Amino acid sequence: MSARILVAEDDGKQSQLIRIYLEREGNAVQVVADGRAVLERARSIRPDLIVLDVMLPYVDGLDVCRILRTEPGTEDVPILLLTARRTEEDMLLGLDLGADDYLTKPYSPRELTARVRALLRRSRKSASAGTTLLRVGEVELDTARFEVRVAGRPVVLTSKEFSILESLAGEPGRVFTRAQIIGRVFGFDQDVLERTVDVHVMNLRRKLEAPGGPRLLETVYGRGYRLVDGT
């Protein structure tokens, strides 16, 4: 199934290479070369996925990611970051701002298309699944509508955050190791840092748990994480 993909890359040769490989997969690809153009195009076409270089003119990719995550219509669009910054802190910063995945340069076009396929597959699975409601205490997930509510309050999550929460809510009280979460959400074929999971869980806590309220996502030290009934 064709997807609308927005590619933001200011290197002309690199952007055209990305376009060629993604179009070979049957996707409709649009390319822009600066951060302002990404924001304008994303708001107008509502893409199914954004491939976003971090180092963009005018508005860098991290700021673009942060802005898109606050706007209706783009808050849950899967974002794949491309970065030449190879430190763990830089990569985790992108995830903290709402990116779903990242690739460090240089990367192979085949790896990029594989990551894109994986993100689209998870996004479509959430959109096309039958109506399934998961409830754990005051946390409610509608996996068909990709919606989350806590005590009736709507909460906007990225696709990775939703997938992690869905896994935990499917077996409340069970402790999932970081490796198990990586396998379920990212796929075992991806070189995902365990701290990547920690950042997503931290973001989930910030969005789900009210200040001074009960703990919903518990850390089991030396093991992993579990979702509990915080009522």
Side-chain angles (χ1 to χ4, degrees):
M1 184 183 297
S2 176
R4 297 186 309 273
I5 299 179
L6 179 59
V7 174
E9 168 66 74
D10 65 335
D11 183 313
K13 290 183 179 180
Q14 192 68 24
S15 65
Q16 289 310 307
L17 183 64
I18 295 172
R19 179 199 287 273
I20 289 169
Y21 273 83
L22 293 181
E23 287 182 343
R24 284 179 182 174
E25 299 274 308
N27 301 300
V29 181
Q30 295 191 32
V31 176
V32 294
D34 67 74
R36 290 188 300 209
V38 183
L39 294 171
E40 293 172 1
R41 198 69 58 86
R43 291 160 179 160
S44 63
I45 70 171
R46 303 286 178 88
D48 298 307
L49 182 140
I50 299 173
V51 179
L52 180 62
D53 186 31
V54 170
M55 302 299 290
L56 290 175
Y58 304 122
V59 184
D60 73 29
L62 294 178
D63 281 336
V64 168
C65 184
R66 177 181 53 79
I67 293 167
L68 291 176
R69 284 294 178 247
T70 65
E71 297 187 355
T74 61
E75 72 271 26
D76 59 357
V77 174
I79 295 176
L80 173 62
L81 281 183
L82 306 179
T83 176
R85 302 170 178 172
R86 304 189 67 85
T87 69
E88 183 179 334
E89 288 72 20
D90 287 329
M91 289 183 268
L92 293 177
L93 175 59
L95 297 173
D96 190 37
L97 291 173
D100 296 279
D101 202 355
Y102 61 83
L103 273 176
T104 56
K105 299 179 179 181
Y107 55 83
S108 73
R110 287 185 179 181
E111 184 178 11
L112 182 141
T113 54
R115 298 289 184 97
V116 166
R117 281 197 302 269
L119 286 172
L120 288 173
R121 185 166 56 246
R122 285 191 289 270
S123 178
R124 286 167 175 164
K125 181 179 179 181
S126 296
S128 63
T131 301
T132 303
L133 293 177
L134 296 174
R135 292 188 180 90
V136 181
E138 294 187 333
V139 179
E140 180 180 292
L141 290 83
D142 186 329
T143 60
R145 299 187 179 187
F146 197 74
E147 294 178 348
V148 176
R149 294 180 179 274
V150 179
R153 171 179 60 89
V155 178
V156 176
L157 302 181
T158 68
S159 62
K160 281 289 196 305
E161 292 165 356
F162 190 93
S163 296
I164 291 173
L165 184 61
E166 183 180 4
S167 293
L168 298 178
E171 299 182 65
R174 173 186 168 181
V175 178
F176 286 84
T177 67
R178 292 170 178 83
Q180 288 170 330
I181 293 173
I182 289 171
R184 287 184 173 221
V185 176
F186 297 87
F188 284 110
D189 59 332
Q190 296 193 28
D191 183 19
V192 177
L193 298 168
E194 289 194 349
R195 279 196 60 195
T196 299
V197 176
D198 297 338
V199 172
H200 284 304
V201 171
M202 179 183 68
N203 289 337
L204 278 169
R205 282 179 174 147
R206 186 169 61 227
K207 294 178 179 182
L208 297 177
E209 298 175 356
R215 174 69 65 166
L216 303 176
L217 281 168
E218 283 189 349
T219 300
V220 180
Y221 292 98
R223 294 292 299 166
Y225 299 104
R226 64 185 172 195
L227 184 66
V228 297
D229 184 345
T231 53

